[in-house]
Amino acid sequence: MGHRLSFVLFVVCCILFASCAANKNLKKAEKYLALGEYYDAASQYKQAYRKTSPKEREQRGKIALKMASCYAKINQTAASLAAYRNAIRYKQASIEDHLTFGRLLLKNGEYKAAVEEFKLALDSMPDNILAKNGLVSAQNAPEWKRIGSRYTVKKADVFNSRRADYCPMLLGDQSEYLYFTSTRNEAQGDELSGITGTKPGDLFFSQKDDKGKWSRPEVVTGGINTDFDEGAGCFTPDGKTLYLTQCQTDPSYPRYAQIIKSSRSDAAWGKGSDVKISNDTLSSYAHPAISPDGEWLYFCSDMPGGKGGLDIWRVRMTASGFGGVQNLGSPVNTPGDEMFPAFRPNGDFYFSSDGHPGMGGLDIYIARTDPDTKKYVLEHPGYPLNSQADDFGMTFEGPYNRGYFCSNRGNGRGWDHIFSFENPEIVQSIKGWVYEIDGYELPAAQVNLVGNDGTNEKLSVLSDGSFTYVAKPGVSYVILATCKGYLNHKEELTVEPSDDSEEYVLQFPLASITAPVLIDNIFYDFDKATLRPESTKALDELVELLNENPNVTIELSAHCDYKGSDAYNKGLSQRRAESVVNYLIEHGIAKDRLSPVGYGKEKPKTIRKKVAAKYNWLKEGDILTEEFIKKLSDDKQEICNQLNRRTEFIVLRTTYGMFDEQGNLKNPPQPKKLEDDFSDDEGYELIE
């Protein structure tokens, strides 16, 4: 009898001990959950579940439900499904939990089981959009996978590790750099994240060599990486600024994602600074993307006023800061999560969502603006770009429909990895180069493109002075390049329909307002002022330049070498300058815009950087005087004399014809109305 009593007491003590231990784990789990540390919370819930007796069905079911939610947050889909099944078995799952369970089944490719869960949810919630779209997805995803698409997708092993690698970003004039976020062992810091169970993410990069081979990824130096999570970002169109998502940790407060920005100095990215989008400090701001024209910052947030879950928003970028936050509204946003906005250079808008009908998890969608309604029309690019798992984070190689994205397909632990994609298509593109006449590229230039189909775009110029634009067949374009301190240059182009991809290459040499501009390929008869026929092309280009810049007056000058008398050289150069001016007048340029001057040998040429690069025995700043030239060898003397024999112009005024007789501006600019910028006609919902 005594032994039996002792055994009973021992069992009771074990049960009480297990119950106390389970409560201890639950308290820790609740603390971690409140801070958003889902990995640590799931671990504690798992221990509490194991220490709770199967006879305590209600308690076990409640713990399983919370554990399932935490596993879902960190993409451990299989573990989350197992926990949901336990919660359902213990009858602790609500109808909303059944809906979530169905969405996870969809993400795991268990389409038949998902159909039953969505039907169950719709019996109680017939108007629930997520249940409706989930049912459409589960019923149609197998057929969408069978049909496939023109996309080819390959795992990009050179970038991937045994941990998470995600959100690739191509950078460089030839897309020769790829930046991405990784939680691999080389990431900064020693502690593991309570959110994911891995190291906090850091930025890494890889560089492509001349043969197209990518280097082994290296961590980005310069201060942008910290002990916090950095990832999911974008570059400004000029490639000089990086916007990035950062998740800072605090032992006392929940985790809120925020957007930071960093500037590049040479090859290093500096320490990030906070980007303040609104005064709301209790919402997350993440996944920045900048529109191709550089005027809008797109991002995702859970701030009030959205459709539910995470929505995509945008805010106007101005010289004085951000202003006018807008929710993109329908059809982009849903009660689910819309995340990872991205732009193709042609303006197509990409994002990922788990709220629209799709293959499961986050699917990639394309939003294009309807030219008539000015509203977005959505396209699902199908399989294999999309899969049953999460697919997101697009980046494009120039104007082409190829590049990289990330997905956790085929990974049981939910790690994201980087994949390449390509969709062969006919691309008609315009490649332009903006540079200084007789000089180098002008990355500070601005390009304005107008098409007869209503297109009106501002294009940014890259560091090598180039820009690329995906054109539409059958459209005629006028393209104007401008830069402070230079005259404008215009080109016109009609893009013809074609069965093959084609690149139209245009040159935009800009003339300086402050320095003499060489008019190349002007030829005269020997010892005369008569223009030779081969000069016509250069002269016609000068006519066009003056027509494109009607408010400019110039001094047209001709120069000789030092051979011959001063008086003879001056007279010959004056006659030559007058010959050029007469040609311009005959071709419609007003006489009072032109001042012909013959300098003879008075103004020898000053060597500029580009000429010095061509002749390595000359230095920038050298002046080709008679004394300088005669110290050189005979062949070099002849080259210098040829450089001195030149025709140039310099801008005298930039206000010709701009004012009336009373001194008033003839065509003053009209102030832009505020509603022009923030119109509801664009299909967006404006949030005050």
Side-chain angles (χ1 to χ4, degrees):
M1 183 72 181
H3 288 296
R4 189 182 304 168
L5 180 60
S6 297
F7 179 74
V8 171
L9 289 173
F10 174 76
V11 171
V12 170
C13 287
C14 287
I15 293 172
L16 290 173
F17 178 79
S19 178
C20 290
N23 286 334
K24 188 175 181 180
N25 291 127
L26 284 174
K27 286 181 180 179
K28 286 184 178 180
E30 296 295 332
K31 178 183 176 182
Y32 289 136
L33 182 60
L35 294 174
E37 296 181 346
Y38 302 112
Y39 179 86
D40 286 346
S43 178
Q44 293 297 323
Y45 282 128
K46 185 177 182 179
Q47 293 183 54
Y49 181 84
R50 287 176 173 174
K51 294 173 183 177
T52 301
S53 170
K55 294 181 179 180
E56 297 182 57
R57 298 179 61 84
E58 181 179 345
Q59 179 68 352
R60 257 202 157 201
K62 289 179 178 178
I63 296 173
L65 200 59
K66 291 190 175 182
M67 181 168 47
S69 177
C70 291
Y71 278 132
K73 291 284 189 183
I74 57 176
N75 282 328
Q76 293 196 18
T77 304
S80 181
L81 285 171
Y84 269 116
R85 286 188 173 101
N86 284 330
I88 292 170
R89 178 161 60 94
Y90 288 124
K91 302 188 184 305
Q92 294 304 308
S94 67
I95 196 64
E96 288 82 4
D97 296 325
H98 278 278
L99 173 57
T100 305
F101 180 54
R103 283 158 60 81
L104 282 169
L105 288 168
L106 186 68
K107 186 174 181 178
N108 209 43
E110 299 180 48
Y111 296 126
K112 288 184 179 179
V115 166
E116 298 307 314
E117 294 297 326
F118 290 130
K119 287 181 176 178
L120 178 65
L122 286 169
D123 283 343
S124 300
M125 302 181 293
D127 297 325
N128 188 284
I129 294 175
L130 296 181
K132 286 181 178 180
N133 289 347
L135 182 59
V136 171
S137 301
Q139 290 173 332
N140 291 279
E143 179 64 10
W144 293 336
K145 185 173 182 178
R146 187 192 67 80
I147 294 172
S149 69
R150 288 170 54 85
Y151 280 91
T152 56
V153 169
K154 295 179 182 178
K155 196 171 183 181
D157 289 328
V158 66
F159 308 123
N160 294 317
S161 68
R162 299 175 69 180
R163 292 292 183 266
D165 308 283
Y166 54 98
C167 290
M169 302 177 287
L170 284 167
L171 178 67
D173 301 332
Q174 306 302 321
S175 299
E176 68 271 27
Y177 295 96
L178 186 109
Y179 287 74
F180 62 95
T181 299
S182 179
T183 62
R184 63 187 64 192
N185 291 335
E186 293 84 355
Q188 189 168 314
D190 298 320
E191 296 186 7
L192 300 183
S193 167
I195 304 173
T196 62
T198 66
K199 278 192 169 185
D202 272 353
L203 273 186
F204 288 74
F205 80 99
S206 178
Q207 185 175 1
K208 184 166 58 177
D209 63 20
D210 295 339
K211 297 180 180 179
K213 183 179 179 181
W214 289 98
S215 66
R216 182 178 179 181
E218 300 176 36
V219 68
V220 175
T221 59
I224 185 62
N225 284 321
T226 69
D227 290 340
F228 304 133
D229 261 305
E230 284 87 27
C234 69
F235 298 104
T236 51
D238 61 10
K240 295 179 180 178
T241 304
L242 167 63
Y243 284 80
L244 201 64
T245 306
Q246 186 180 73
C247 297
Q248 296 189 7
T249 57
D250 188 298
S252 305
Y253 295 96
R255 302 335 186 210
Y256 292 108
Q258 62 183 7
I259 296 173
I260 62 172
K261 70 175 181 178
S262 169
S263 298
R264 184 173 61 178
S265 176
D266 296 326
W269 292 93
K271 184 179 179 182
S273 59
D274 292 348
V275 173
K276 185 178 180 181
I277 293 175
S278 79
N279 293 323
D280 181 354
T281 60
L282 297 178
S283 299
S284 289
Y285 303 86
H287 309 168
I290 295 177
S291 58
D293 59 13
E295 294 189 1
W296 294 93
L297 176 68
Y298 287 67
F299 60 97
C300 73
S301 177
D302 57 356
M303 70 172 74
K307 298 289 184 180
L310 291 168
D311 273 14
I312 295 177
W313 306 67
R314 71 175 191 169
V315 62
R316 185 176 287 278
M317 305 174 73
T318 69
S320 58
F322 297 102
V325 177
Q326 299 176 0
N327 183 286
L328 263 61
S330 298
V332 171
N333 290 319
T334 70
D337 288 332
E338 280 69 46
M339 311 160 73
F340 301 100
F343 283 92
R344 188 176 169 186
N346 68 354
D348 286 350
F349 176 53
Y350 287 70
F351 67 97
S352 290
S353 170
D354 63 6
H356 292 283
M359 303 287 296
L362 289 171
D363 269 24
I364 294 167
Y365 297 85
I366 309 170
R368 295 187 176 93
T369 304
D370 183 275
D372 296 324
T373 65
K374 305 301 182 184
K375 294 188 177 183
Y376 277 140
V377 177
L378 300 189
E379 175 188 335
H380 185 271
Y383 179 85
L385 187 66
N386 286 312
S387 68
Q388 66 192 41
D390 292 323
D391 306 291
F392 59 98
M394 303 286 284
T395 186
F396 293 89
E397 184 182 330
Y400 307 103
N401 198 356
R402 64 175 183 252
Y404 298 91
F405 74 110
C406 42
S407 175
N408 52 33
R409 62 185 69 184
N411 191 292
R413 299 195 64 183
W415 302 132
D416 301 313
H417 290 304
I418 296 172
F419 291 75
S420 67
F421 74 90
E422 182 171 9
N423 184 356
E425 61 182 8
I426 297 173
V427 176
Q428 307 286 77
S429 62
I430 300 171
K431 179 83 169 187
W433 300 88
V434 187
Y435 54 93
E436 181 182 2
I437 291 179
D438 196 30
Y440 282 82
E441 61 274 356
L442 292 171
Q446 176 79 53
V447 174
N448 295 277
L449 179 145
V450 177
N452 62 358
D453 64 338
T455 300
N456 192 334
E457 300 276 354
K458 290 182 180 179
L459 309 178
S460 295
V461 174
L462 300 178
S463 59
D464 65 347
S466 71
F467 66 89
T468 304
Y469 179 79
V470 177
K472 298 176 184 177
V475 176
S476 295
Y477 295 97
V478 176
I479 308 163
L480 181 69
T482 64
C483 188
K484 186 176 181 181
Y486 296 86
L487 300 182
N488 301 335
H489 183 90
K490 181 178 69 175
E491 291 287 340
E492 297 184 17
L493 171 71
T494 297
V495 177
E496 301 294 343
S498 174
D499 294 332
D500 299 307
S501 294
E502 188 172 354
E503 183 176 74
Y504 295 84
V505 178
L506 301 176
Q507 305 289 333
F508 293 83
L510 303 192
S512 172
I513 290 176
T514 58
V517 178
L518 176 69
I519 310 172
D520 214 356
N521 297 320
I522 298 291
F523 304 100
Y524 308 91
D525 285 339
F526 178 71
D527 216 21
K528 295 181 180 178
T530 309
L531 288 164
R532 295 182 60 80
E534 53 264 42
S535 304
T536 301
K537 183 176 185 296
L539 291 170
D540 289 344
E541 289 175 353
L542 181 56
V543 170
E544 188 175 353
L545 176 68
L546 291 169
N547 283 329
E548 290 168 359
N549 298 271
N551 303 121
V552 165
T553 65
I554 64 169
E555 175 190 278
L556 195 293
S557 60
H559 304 262
C560 299
D561 57 32
Y562 61 80
K563 298 174 184 178
S565 68
D566 291 352
Y568 178 81
N569 281 335
K570 198 170 180 65
L572 177 61
S573 61
Q574 180 67 35
R575 292 194 301 276
R576 287 180 168 178
E578 289 172 354
S579 293
V580 174
V581 165
N582 289 337
Y583 184 96
L584 300 178
I585 294 171
E586 289 169 5
H587 287 77
I589 305 301
K591 182 178 180 180
D592 57 349
R593 296 179 62 194
L594 308 168
S595 300
V597 179
Y599 283 105
K601 60 181 181 181
E602 291 177 7
K603 291 190 174 184
K605 184 176 180 66
T606 299
I607 297 300
R608 301 183 66 188
K609 188 175 180 180
K610 194 169 185 180
V611 176
K614 183 178 181 181
Y615 303 107
N616 58 13
W617 43 273
L618 290 173
K619 301 191 305 293
E620 186 178 5
D622 284 345
I623 301 175
L624 303 185
T625 62
E626 182 177 354
E627 180 184 7
F628 178 91
I629 294 173
K630 286 184 174 179
K631 293 178 182 178
L632 304 173
S633 61
D634 290 346
D635 57 335
K636 292 178 180 177
Q637 285 188 32
E638 180 52 33
I639 290 172
C640 290
N641 285 330
Q642 289 175 1
L643 291 173
N644 270 334
R645 296 191 294 268
R646 66 199 191 276
T647 304
E648 295 177 334
F649 73 84
I650 189 168
V651 174
L652 300 177
R653 291 173 54 205
T654 58
T655 57
Y656 175 85
M658 291 177 63
F659 299 92
D660 60 22
E661 295 178 358
Q662 286 73 41
N664 299 317
L665 196 62
K666 288 182 178 179
N667 297 300
Q670 298 299 315
K672 192 174 183 180
K673 296 180 181 179
L674 184 62
E675 55 265 28
D676 290 343
D677 282 343
F678 296 94
S679 167
D680 282 340
D681 295 337
E682 294 181 89
Y684 304 112
E685 182 179 350
L686 179 61
I687 304 299
E688 299 295 343

